[in-house]
Amino acid sequence: MEEREIILDIQNLRTRFNTHEGTAHAVNGISYQVHAGETLAIVGESGCGKSVSMLSVMRLLPMPPAQILADAIEFRGENLISFPASEMRRIRGNEIAMIFQDPMTSLNPVLTIKTQLIESMKLHLGLNDKEATDRAIELLTMVDIPDAAARINDYPHQFSGGMRQRVMIAIALSCDPVLLIADEPTTALDVTVQAQIVDLVNQLQDRLGMAMVWISHDLGVVAGIAERVIVMYAGFVVEDAPVDDLYADPRHPYTAALLRSLPSVDSNPDEDLEVIEGMPPELWNEPVGCPFAPRCSFARDKCYAENPPLEETTPQHKSACWIDIHTGEFR
Amino acid sequence: MTKEKVLIRVENLVKHFPITEGIVFQKQVGAVKAVDGLSFDIREKETLGLVGESGCGKSTTGRTILQMHRPTSGKVYYRDTELTALSNKELRGLRTDIQFIFQDPYASLNPRKTVNNIIAEPLKIHNIGTPEERQDRVRELLSLVGLNPAFVNRYPHEFSGGQRQRIGIARALALNPEFIVCDEPISALDVSVQAQVVNLLKKLQRELGLTYLFIAHDLSMVRHISDRIAVMYLGKLVELAGRDELHNNTLHPYTQALLSAAPTPNPAAERKRERVVLQGGVPSPVNPPSGCHFHTRCPIAEDICKVDEPVWREIENEHWVACHLR
């Protein structure tokens, strides 16, 4: 991969939620970079901190109960963590845009989609009503909504789920973002509609050249869309690798087990699927040792005592594990 | 495939939900045609997978087979008993043989009851055993589904999603059923937990000789668990075949699109793959398209498809399809 400019550099991000029942350690010191024009996927199971980490970057979590700490969150040379709320508002929806999982609840049902589309353009780009409306129609056409000029005055309920997600994408693209964060944008959709949206996003990215962070739990969708994949578990990044490397040669026992637990076209249906026994850990306690150790078949004493750092095993391929899973010995 | 005896026979099953207007004098102005004429068999000890997109009527089919919804027309036979002709009281006697596992392990367990009460409830309703015997049976069921029998006095919120689904399975097994409708039992679960539940369902099938109707929208998991797979679109079956036959010799264009839309965890294959991407979404079941319901999105539709409804027919041995062009 050629060297590309780093546009988002997250260093040691920690997010906690202080609740009545105690402190939930949702994100526990993660660091990664997003390069210009790249598609990065963050995968993991529910509760692993993949959404919370991006919401922390965007500062879209209610504080309190959330508490966001980081050494630095650098976005194109500016440290977002030091920004006051008003400065964040300048970035959000403008240079960094976000698409959410549920297109039913993230659009306002009592406003036409026109109002919702032109809002951010008027705010960030300083366009007047006429200019913003023209651009909105252009955007709707770009996301393949037929008869955009007429449909722009419709309300969200007049669109199907897939169409609503297209409207969400149009809103996200309205200010030409440098970075688009897509939080499980196809999870609520049917597979045939999911295929349409994945195709559309791929095309738009080729055309507009923005960087994208695609958050998902679906290793199948990620395989088709990402250049690089980050795997999260219990608030930690456990593996970070180019997509082909990750699927062909996973280095972390969790990633390897997750891939094996999926039925594939060649797997024998008469055999049992491989399972990861047990459950992800509770996040109430300050984590000690490797979070995956209790479910890991390679676990040694050291794994329970010390959390392995995320280190390069081969160039570009980072894993957080003491053990080399090919030999079963310490690295 | 050896021909097993037929356990459930569905004949021309129809379930329409009426849409009414008016508050005092209600009159019907239309109907949601959720299930619109299905015919198929489920054989002893097999798993029949039923797939389709949301709103295609697959859950309604499962519920109508068990008479949780009474069908608008059509018949359902369990062995030689016509379920559709039985009264609710007579049906209750048969509930020991036919059971249901729900999709949402959070909503389907009463949060104010202990695990013991939840699993023992079907035994109580059917007056089986003394309280002590029921207590023993609950413990036995818990260990059968891989939960610690010491958990009997806990409440559902103390369990994770996968464990709750196991409680739901234990409840369905309490009366020693023969046939279980599993309505998307793994959709609400995390990937690493899905495999645990699928393996459990397969183990129970081997040990107890169960028959499943397995409803899902995830084709790869359905292929893994099913012996035969039925594909549904807008209230109708479009294709039914053995699991390998359906994958290797796909006939209906909708099944082809569904298979090609399902992503696989293989980056190289994903990049090379030519997808059949369907246009638009599923039309409304209130007013489905004329002729073949799929013709509005079908990549190979011809004029006849807009007019005539295709016949559901066995085109090859054990391979059923409803399409004019095959």
Side-chain angles (χ1 to χ4, degrees):
Chain A
M1 206 190 299
E2 79 276 29
E3 278 300 308
R4 289 188 286 196
E5 183 200 353
I6 293 173
I7 55 167
L8 181 67
D9 187 358
I10 300 172
Q11 290 167 22
N12 197 17
L13 173 71
R14 286 146 288 155
T15 307
R16 312 222 156 111
F17 293 94
N18 299 313
T19 70
H20 292 300
E21 287 162 61
T23 302
H25 298 74
V27 177
N28 296 307
I30 62 170
S31 304
Y32 58 82
Q33 291 86 37
V34 184
H35 300 83
E38 145 179 89
T39 308
L40 171 72
I42 305 182
V43 296
E45 298 178 86
S46 41
C48 74
K50 56 190 189 301
S51 294
V52 167
S53 65
M54 276 343 280
L55 291 170
S56 304
V57 171
M58 299 284 277
R59 229 141 357 116
L60 283 172
L61 294 169
M63 292 187 284
Q67 186 192 358
I68 302 167
L69 302 166
D71 294 352
I73 300 177
E74 275 190 21
F75 176 67
R76 303 171 94 194
E78 294 179 293
N79 193 354
L80 298 186
I81 200 82
S82 64
F83 274 18
S86 58
E87 281 289 287
M88 274 313 291
R89 226 173 284 143
R90 178 172 63 78
I91 303 271
R92 271 198 303 259
N94 188 9
E95 289 167 85
I96 308 180
M98 207 159 170
I99 312 172
F100 297 93
Q101 173 171 357
D102 189 346
M104 314 289 160
T105 52
S106 37
L107 288 169
N108 188 333
V110 299
L111 300 177
T112 61
I113 60 158
K114 176 179 159 185
T115 318
Q116 304 186 53
L117 265 160
I118 64 175
E119 184 189 8
S120 62
M121 288 190 272
K122 282 163 73 179
L123 182 72
H124 292 303
L125 305 181
L127 303 181
N128 64 29
D129 263 11
K130 172 84 179 61
E131 289 164 345
T133 308
D134 288 348
R135 182 161 160 73
I137 293 172
E138 214 175 280
L139 285 163
L140 289 180
T141 315
M142 192 167 77
V143 296
D144 296 333
I145 290 187
D147 201 10
R151 299 224 62 187
I152 193 163
N153 292 313
D154 284 351
Y155 289 87
H157 74 266
Q158 292 168 291
F159 292 85
S160 68
M163 283 293 169
R164 266 179 259 198
Q165 199 57 288
R166 286 170 195 268
V167 172
M168 285 299 297
I169 293 171
I171 294 175
L173 297 178
S174 60
C175 296
D176 280 327
V178 179
L179 174 63
L180 178 65
I181 299 170
D183 188 359
E184 307 234 13
T186 61
T187 307
L189 305 175
D190 279 317
V191 276
T192 57
V193 180
Q194 169 172 284
Q196 294 167 8
I197 297 290
V198 167
D199 264 19
L200 174 73
V201 172
N202 270 334
Q203 273 172 33
L204 290 173
Q205 204 199 2
D206 283 348
R207 216 159 100 195
L208 307 174
M210 71 231 164
M212 187 159 67
V213 175
W214 184 283
I215 302 171
S216 179
H217 68 274
D218 188 330
L219 285 158
V221 174
V222 165
I225 204 163
E227 290 166 61
R228 195 156 63 89
V229 182
I230 284 176
V231 183
M232 284 189 72
Y233 186 78
F236 291 94
V237 172
V238 296
E239 191 156 4
D240 176 342
V243 65
D244 292 293
D245 278 15
L246 187 94
Y247 285 81
D249 185 16
R251 295 299 172 86
H252 195 280
Y254 174 63
T255 318
L258 208 55
L259 284 168
R260 281 199 307 267
S261 74
L262 298 174
S264 77
V265 184
D266 338 298
S267 67
N268 179 359
D270 298 323
E271 279 171 19
D272 271 356
L273 292 170
E274 248 186 86
V275 301
I276 307 176
E277 294 298 342
M279 289 165 284
E282 299 272 352
L283 302 168
W284 299 120
N285 300 317
E286 186 91 40
V288 184
C290 172
F292 188 60
R295 301 173 78 187
C296 181
S297 52
F298 296 100
R300 312 285 169 81
D301 290 346
K302 185 178 181 185
C303 302
Y304 290 95
E306 270 182 83
N307 191 14
L310 185 67
E311 282 176 342
E312 273 194 356
T313 51
T314 49
Q316 310 249 24
H317 195 146
K318 294 181 196 163
S319 161
C321 185
W322 295 120
I323 310 287
D324 180 344
I325 65 166
H326 294 307
T327 60
E329 300 298 322
F330 282 101
R331 282 201 281 135
Chain B
M1 201 188 299
T2 52
K3 277 226 170 184
E4 296 280 347
K5 268 166 70 181
V6 171
L7 187 73
I8 299 279
R9 193 160 87 240
V10 177
E11 282 177 8
N12 208 12
L13 188 71
V14 176
K15 176 68 195 175
H16 291 181
F17 293 99
I19 304 170
T20 55
E21 237 172 40
I23 297 166
V24 181
F25 301 104
Q26 293 204 339
K27 67 170 192 221
Q28 191 176 335
V29 293
V32 177
K33 302 180 180 76
V35 176
D36 209 10
L38 302 186
S39 301
F40 59 92
D41 293 337
I42 303 172
R43 298 171 190 150
E44 270 182 11
K45 298 188 174 59
E46 83 164 346
T47 301
L48 178 70
L50 183 61
V51 294
E53 295 179 275
S54 47
C56 73
K58 52 192 192 302
S59 292
T60 308
T61 305
R63 286 166 183 251
T64 313
I65 289 175
L66 294 198
Q67 306 301 305
M68 291 159 83
H69 298 311
R70 289 294 192 161
T72 309
S73 66
K75 290 178 179 152
V76 178
Y77 293 92
Y78 166 68
R79 294 192 186 282
D80 297 321
T81 320
E82 189 187 334
L83 295 181
T84 35
L86 297 182
S87 68
N88 286 345
K89 205 173 159 193
E90 289 167 316
L91 267 174
R92 198 171 303 153
L94 272 175
R95 290 268 181 246
T96 53
D97 295 329
I98 51 178
Q99 281 289 332
F100 203 89
I101 297 171
F102 296 87
Q103 170 171 7
D104 187 344
Y106 294 83
S108 57
L109 302 177
N110 187 335
R112 304 205 291 186
K113 286 188 171 178
T114 60
V115 169
N116 184 29
N117 285 336
I118 289 170
I119 301 177
E121 190 169 12
L123 299 167
K124 255 190 234 163
I125 290 171
H126 290 273
N127 281 321
I128 295 170
T130 61
E132 290 74 35
E133 283 165 1
R134 277 187 281 216
Q135 192 51 258
D136 290 342
R137 175 76 179 141
V138 170
R139 286 169 190 278
E140 186 189 320
L141 286 163
L142 282 177
S143 38
L144 187 67
V145 297
L147 288 173
N148 186 342
F151 292 167
V152 283
N153 290 319
R154 295 203 184 180
Y155 289 88
H157 74 264
E158 296 176 71
F159 295 90
S160 70
Q163 289 176 319
R164 281 183 217 213
Q165 202 53 289
R166 287 172 194 263
I167 297 170
I169 294 171
R171 175 175 62 186
L173 292 174
L175 297 168
N176 275 325
E178 230 185 337
F179 174 61
I180 302 181
V181 174
C182 311
D183 187 4
E184 307 224 20
I186 55 168
S187 305
L189 304 177
D190 264 319
V191 188
S192 74
V193 181
Q194 285 187 355
Q196 295 175 5
V197 173
V198 165
N199 283 353
L200 172 66
L201 286 171
K202 290 189 92 166
K203 181 192 100 170
L204 293 171
Q205 183 170 42
R206 282 195 302 270
E207 288 173 5
L208 308 174
L210 299 170
T211 304
Y212 294 134
L213 176 66
F214 190 88
I215 301 169
H217 61 265
D218 177 349
L219 271 160
S220 52
M221 215 40 121
V222 168
R223 176 174 179 270
H224 185 82
I225 197 167
S226 306
D227 299 302
R228 294 188 303 148
I229 300 173
V231 182
M232 231 180 138
Y233 186 78
L234 267 188
K236 289 191 182 291
L237 286 181
V238 297
E239 191 160 3
L240 170 63
R243 63 159 186 248
D244 295 327
E245 171 75 7
L246 190 86
H247 277 76
N248 301 334
N249 182 22
T250 315
L251 292 178
H252 199 281
Y254 179 63
T255 316
Q256 285 168 349
L258 211 54
L259 285 173
S260 92
T264 53
N266 181 342
E270 279 291 304
R271 276 195 292 269
K272 267 189 277 169
R273 185 149 69 163
E274 287 294 317
R275 282 219 169 89
V276 185
V277 176
L278 293 179
Q279 296 305 308
V282 185
S284 157
V286 176
N287 193 8
S290 61
C292 172
H293 286 181
F294 185 56
H295 84 254
T296 49
R297 300 173 80 197
C298 183
I300 58 168
E302 290 179 10
D303 288 343
I304 182 174
C305 307
K306 294 176 191 158
V307 188
D308 289 339
E309 200 177 297
V311 183
W312 178 240
R313 65 197 199 281
E314 190 170 11
I315 187 165
E316 282 160 39
N317 187 27
E318 301 271 314
H319 193 149
W320 293 69
V321 71
C323 182
H324 289 300
L325 307 172
R326 300 293 175 192

